[in-house]
């Protein structure tokens, strides 16, 4: 079965640089989420999109922005990177068919960002 | 967001032992969803189970079983006859209709080490 696809899997950037992460949700999923997981931490919700519109915002820094495109893929843009942005970034998606999925959210394998 | 508490930070068991991971959640809603995810050392988040608040039926899937008790706001996870491959961080999570796009709130996770 198709899964959530994230790229790149690993990324190394210097402080103050910009990074872009991409996410391709599972087909027929209408909601996309971005989460950030610091070392030894639980995943923290950043932002979500429903049918290409931003639907909710969590603890996303102002230096970060995201959008969802017409083909449902999403990108997370991170600017002025700081050492503390080093983390595992997950994209996740939720099926359009709520009756069977019950709001289950499926995660990609994550993108490891290291800021040096 | 309503909290999810996993009081056990780390657990070590010897292979073939049974182990139970605890999860207690806050709730002010009548409708909510509870989940367990597994995060192996490779980093991906693997969905294990979803429970709706209106379905208290316990579930067994192979060596895994889940005990959902609304009276104590608990959703505990038991692994029977543990194996080395079960070594991972396990996260309990919830989502709520009131939380915008049903994004997940995670507990801090329990790191399970199964020793051969």
């Amino acid at each position: 079965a198709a899964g959530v696809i994230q790229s790149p899997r690993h990324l190394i950037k210097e402080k103050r640089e910009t990074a872009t992460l991409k996410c391709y949700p599972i087909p027929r999923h209408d909601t996309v989420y971005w989460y950030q997981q610091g070392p030894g931490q639980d995943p923290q919700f950043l932002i979500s999109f429903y049918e290409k519109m931003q639907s909710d915002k969590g603890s996303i820094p102002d230096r970060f922005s995201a959008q969802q495109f017409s083909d449902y893929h999403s990108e997370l843009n991170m600017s002025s990177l700081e050492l503390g942005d080093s983390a595992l970034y997950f994209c996740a998606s939720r099926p359009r068919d709520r009756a069977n999925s019950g709001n289950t959210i499926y995660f990609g394998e994550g993108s490891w960002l290291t800021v040096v | 967001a309503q909290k999810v508490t996993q009081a056990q930070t780390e657990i070590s068991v010897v292979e073939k032992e049974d182990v139970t991971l605890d999860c207690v959640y806050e709730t002010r809603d009548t409708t909510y969803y509870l989940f367990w995810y597994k995060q192996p050392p490779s980093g991906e988040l693997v969905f294990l189970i979803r429970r709706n608040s209106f379905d208290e039926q316990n579930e067994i899937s192979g060596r895994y079983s889940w005990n959902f008790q609304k009276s104590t706001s608990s959703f505990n996870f038991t692994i029977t006859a543990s194996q080395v491959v079960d070594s991972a961080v396990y996260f309990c999570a919830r989502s709520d209709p009131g939380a915008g796009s049903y994004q997940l709130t995670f507990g801090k996770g329990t790191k399970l080490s199964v020793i051969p």
Side-chain angles (χ1 to χ4, degrees):
Chain A
V4 177
I5 306 297
Q6 291 188 244
S7 66
R9 293 294 317 283
H10 298 269
L11 193 59
I12 300 175
K13 291 286 187 178
E14 296 189 353
K15 284 193 303 182
R16 293 179 288 277
E17 284 192 319
T18 297
T20 297
L21 305 181
K22 293 187 177 182
C23 168
Y24 294 84
I26 297 171
R28 292 177 296 282
H29 284 207
D30 60 3
T31 309
V32 167
Y33 308 82
W34 286 97
Y35 281 80
Q36 178 192 57
Q37 185 180 24
Q41 304 294 315
D42 55 293
Q44 295 292 314
F45 170 67
L46 294 179
I47 195 168
S48 62
F49 294 86
Y50 170 69
E51 287 291 347
K52 293 160 280 185
M53 300 288 289
Q54 181 183 308
S55 55
D56 209 355
K57 246 179 151 178
S59 50
I60 185 168
D62 292 341
R63 299 177 289 107
F64 292 9
S65 64
Q67 56 182 325
Q68 188 177 27
F69 297 86
S70 57
D71 64 352
Y72 287 90
H73 94 272
S74 178
E75 294 183 5
L76 177 66
N77 299 293
M78 300 174 283
S79 62
S80 303
L81 287 169
E82 302 173 355
L83 295 178
D85 296 328
S86 295
L88 179 57
Y89 289 83
F90 286 105
C91 176
S93 66
R94 181 178 62 151
R96 183 174 294 127
D97 177 11
R98 308 277 192 263
N100 287 320
S101 74
N103 292 297
T104 298
I105 296 174
Y106 296 92
F107 286 79
E109 293 185 323
S111 294
W112 294 88
L113 171 66
T114 302
V115 182
V116 296
Chain B
Q2 298 176 63
K3 282 180 61 176
V4 176
T5 301
Q6 295 179 255
Q8 304 147 309
T9 306
E10 293 192 41
I11 300 176
S12 289
V13 297
V14 176
E15 201 170 19
K16 298 181 184 169
E17 286 185 343
D18 300 346
V19 58
T20 295
L21 309 182
D22 298 332
C23 174
V24 175
Y25 58 93
E26 289 181 349
T27 179
R28 293 187 287 274
D29 304 302
T30 55
T31 301
Y32 50 90
Y33 302 88
L34 300 170
F35 304 82
W36 277 94
Y37 287 85
K38 174 183 180 179
Q39 188 172 41
S42 49
E44 70 269 28
L45 273 171
V46 179
F47 165 73
L48 294 178
I49 192 170
R50 177 196 79 244
R51 229 343 141 238
N52 306 331
S53 57
F54 44 86
D55 179 4
E56 281 197 77
Q57 188 174 6
N58 292 325
E59 184 157 335
I60 298 174
S61 175
R63 296 184 297 107
Y64 295 171
S65 62
W66 290 268
N67 184 302
F68 176 33
Q69 293 198 345
K70 288 178 74 171
S71 60
T72 55
S73 297
S74 65
F75 186 39
N76 297 335
F77 172 31
T78 297
I79 302 175
T80 302
S82 59
Q83 300 176 2
V84 173
V85 293
D86 296 327
S87 297
V89 179
Y90 291 86
F91 289 98
C92 181
R94 65 173 289 158
S95 70
D96 305 271
S101 54
Y102 287 80
Q103 66 269 19
L104 295 169
T105 299
F106 287 86
K108 295 298 182 186
T110 297
K111 182 178 180 180
L112 174 65
S113 299
V114 181
I115 303 164

